[in-house]
Coordinates of all heavy atoms in Angstrom, one line a residue:
Y1279 N -67.3 -183.9 104.1 CA -67.4 -185.4 104.4 C -68.8 -185.9 104.0 O -68.9 -187.0 103.5 CB -67.2 -185.5 105.9 CG -67.4 -186.9 106.5 CD1 -66.5 -187.9 106.4 CD2 -68.7 -187.2 107.0 CE1 -66.7 -189.1 106.9 CE2 -68.9 -188.5 107.5 CZ -68.0 -189.5 107.4 OH -68.3 -190.7 107.8
W1280 N -69.8 -185.1 104.2 CA -71.1 -185.5 104.0 C -71.4 -185.7 102.5 O -72.2 -186.5 102.0 CB -72.2 -184.8 104.7 CG -72.0 -184.9 106.2 CD1 -71.6 -183.9 107.1 CD2 -72.2 -186.1 107.0 NE1 -71.4 -184.5 108.4 CE2 -71.8 -185.8 108.3 CE3 -72.7 -187.3 106.7 CZ2 -71.9 -186.7 109.3 CZ3 -72.8 -188.3 107.7 CH2 -72.4 -188.0 109.0
R1281 N -70.8 -184.8 101.7 CA -70.9 -184.8 100.3 C -70.3 -186.2 99.9 O -70.8 -186.9 99.0 CB -70.1 -183.7 99.6 CG -70.9 -182.4 99.6 CD -70.1 -181.4 98.7 NE -70.8 -180.1 98.7 CZ -70.4 -179.1 99.3 NH1 -69.3 -179.3 100.2 NH2 -71.1 -178.0 99.3
Q1282 N -69.2 -186.5 100.4 CA -68.5 -187.8 100.0 C -69.3 -189.0 100.3 O -69.3 -190.0 99.6 CB -67.1 -187.9 100.7 CG -66.1 -186.9 100.3 CD -64.9 -186.8 101.1 OE1 -64.7 -187.6 102.1 NE2 -63.9 -185.9 100.8
Q1283 N -70.0 -188.9 101.5 CA -70.9 -190.1 101.9 C -72.2 -190.2 101.1 O -72.9 -191.2 101.1 CB -71.2 -189.9 103.4 CG -70.0 -189.9 104.3 CD -69.0 -191.0 104.1 OE1 -69.3 -192.2 104.1 NE2 -67.7 -190.6 103.8
G1284 N -72.5 -189.0 100.4 CA -73.7 -189.0 99.6 C -74.9 -188.7 100.3 O -76.1 -189.0 99.8
C1285 N -74.8 -188.0 101.5 CA -76.0 -187.8 102.3 C -76.1 -186.4 102.9 O -76.6 -186.2 104.0 CB -76.4 -188.9 103.3 SG -75.0 -189.4 104.3
W1286 N -75.4 -185.5 102.3 CA -75.5 -184.1 102.8 C -76.9 -183.6 102.5 O -77.4 -183.6 101.5 CB -74.4 -183.1 102.2 CG -74.5 -181.7 102.6 CD1 -74.8 -181.3 103.9 CD2 -74.3 -180.6 101.9 NE1 -74.8 -179.9 103.9 CE2 -74.5 -179.5 102.7 CE3 -73.8 -180.4 100.5 CZ2 -74.3 -178.1 102.3 CZ3 -73.7 -179.1 100.1 CH2 -73.9 -178.0 101.0
D1287 N -77.5 -183.1 103.6 CA -79.0 -182.7 103.5 C -79.1 -181.2 103.0 O -78.6 -180.3 103.7 CB -79.6 -182.8 104.9 CG -81.1 -182.4 104.9 OD1 -81.7 -182.4 103.9 OD2 -81.6 -181.9 106.0
T1288 N -79.7 -181.0 101.8 CA -79.9 -179.7 101.4 C -81.4 -179.4 101.1 O -81.8 -178.3 100.8 CB -79.1 -179.4 100.0 OG1 -79.6 -180.4 99.1 CG2 -77.7 -179.6 100.2
Q1289 N -82.3 -180.4 101.3 CA -83.6 -180.4 100.8 C -84.7 -180.3 102.0 O -85.8 -179.9 101.8 CB -84.0 -181.6 99.9 CG -83.1 -181.7 98.7 CD -83.2 -180.5 97.8 OE1 -84.4 -180.0 97.7 NE2 -82.1 -180.0 97.2
S1290 N -84.4 -180.8 103.1 CA -85.3 -181.0 104.2 C -85.7 -179.7 104.8 O -85.1 -178.6 104.6 CB -84.8 -182.0 105.3 OG -83.8 -181.3 106.2
E1291 N -86.8 -179.7 105.7 CA -87.2 -178.6 106.4 C -86.0 -178.0 107.3 O -85.9 -176.8 107.4 CB -88.4 -178.9 107.3 CG -89.6 -179.1 106.6 CD -90.3 -177.8 106.2 OE1 -90.3 -176.9 107.1 OE2 -90.9 -177.7 105.2
L1292 N -85.3 -178.9 107.9 CA -84.1 -178.5 108.7 C -83.0 -177.9 108.0 O -82.3 -177.0 108.5 CB -83.7 -179.6 109.6 CG -84.7 -180.2 110.6 CD1 -84.1 -181.5 111.3 CD2 -85.0 -179.2 111.7
A1293 N -82.9 -178.2 106.7 CA -81.8 -177.7 105.9 C -82.2 -176.3 105.3 O -81.3 -175.7 104.6 CB -81.4 -178.7 104.9
N1294 N -83.5 -175.9 105.5 CA -83.9 -174.7 105.0 C -84.6 -173.7 105.8 O -85.3 -172.9 105.4 CB -84.8 -175.0 103.7 CG -84.0 -175.6 102.6 OD1 -83.4 -174.9 101.8 ND2 -84.0 -176.9 102.4
N1295 N -84.4 -173.9 107.2 CA -85.0 -173.1 108.2 C -84.1 -173.0 109.4 O -83.4 -174.0 109.7 CB -86.4 -173.6 108.6 CG -87.4 -173.4 107.6 OD1 -87.9 -172.2 107.2 ND2 -87.9 -174.5 107.0
A1296 N -84.1 -171.9 110.0 CA -83.3 -171.7 111.2 C -83.9 -172.6 112.3 O -83.2 -173.2 113.1 CB -83.2 -170.2 111.6
T1297 N -85.2 -172.6 112.4 CA -85.9 -173.5 113.2 C -87.1 -174.1 112.5 O -87.7 -173.5 111.6 CB -86.4 -172.8 114.6 OG1 -87.4 -171.8 114.2 CG2 -85.4 -172.2 115.4
S1298 N -87.5 -175.3 112.9 CA -88.6 -176.0 112.3 C -89.5 -176.7 113.3 O -88.9 -177.4 114.3 CB -88.1 -177.0 111.2 OG -89.2 -177.7 110.7
D1299 N -90.8 -176.6 113.0 CA -91.7 -177.5 114.0 C -91.7 -179.0 113.6 O -92.3 -179.8 114.3 CB -93.1 -176.9 114.0 CG -93.8 -177.0 112.6 OD1 -93.1 -177.5 111.6 OD2 -94.9 -176.5 112.4
Y1300 N -91.0 -179.3 112.5 CA -90.9 -180.7 112.1 C -89.7 -181.3 112.9 O -88.6 -180.8 112.9 CB -90.7 -180.9 110.6 CG -90.4 -182.3 110.2 CD1 -91.6 -183.1 110.0 CD2 -89.2 -182.8 109.9 CE1 -91.4 -184.5 109.5 CE2 -89.0 -184.1 109.5 CZ -90.1 -184.9 109.3 OH -89.9 -186.2 108.9
P1301 N -89.7 -182.5 113.4 CA -91.0 -183.4 113.5 C -91.6 -183.3 114.9 O -92.6 -184.0 115.1 CB -90.4 -184.8 113.2 CG -89.1 -184.7 114.0 CD -88.6 -183.3 113.8
Y1302 N -91.1 -182.5 115.8 CA -91.6 -182.6 117.2 C -92.5 -181.4 117.6 O -93.0 -181.5 118.8 CB -90.4 -182.7 118.1 CG -89.4 -183.8 117.9 CD1 -88.1 -183.6 117.4 CD2 -89.9 -185.1 118.1 CE1 -87.3 -184.7 117.2 CE2 -89.0 -186.2 117.8 CZ -87.7 -186.0 117.4 OH -86.9 -187.0 117.2
N1303 N -92.6 -180.4 116.8 CA -93.4 -179.3 117.2 C -93.0 -178.6 118.5 O -93.8 -178.3 119.3 CB -94.9 -179.6 117.3 CG -95.8 -178.5 117.2 OD1 -95.5 -177.4 116.7 ND2 -96.9 -178.6 117.9

């Protein structure tokens, strides 16, 4: 579905880590 909408996230910190301090630490 998100591919079809054009906004599936593959690049952000959240898309490349199990947990991330971005943006709330």
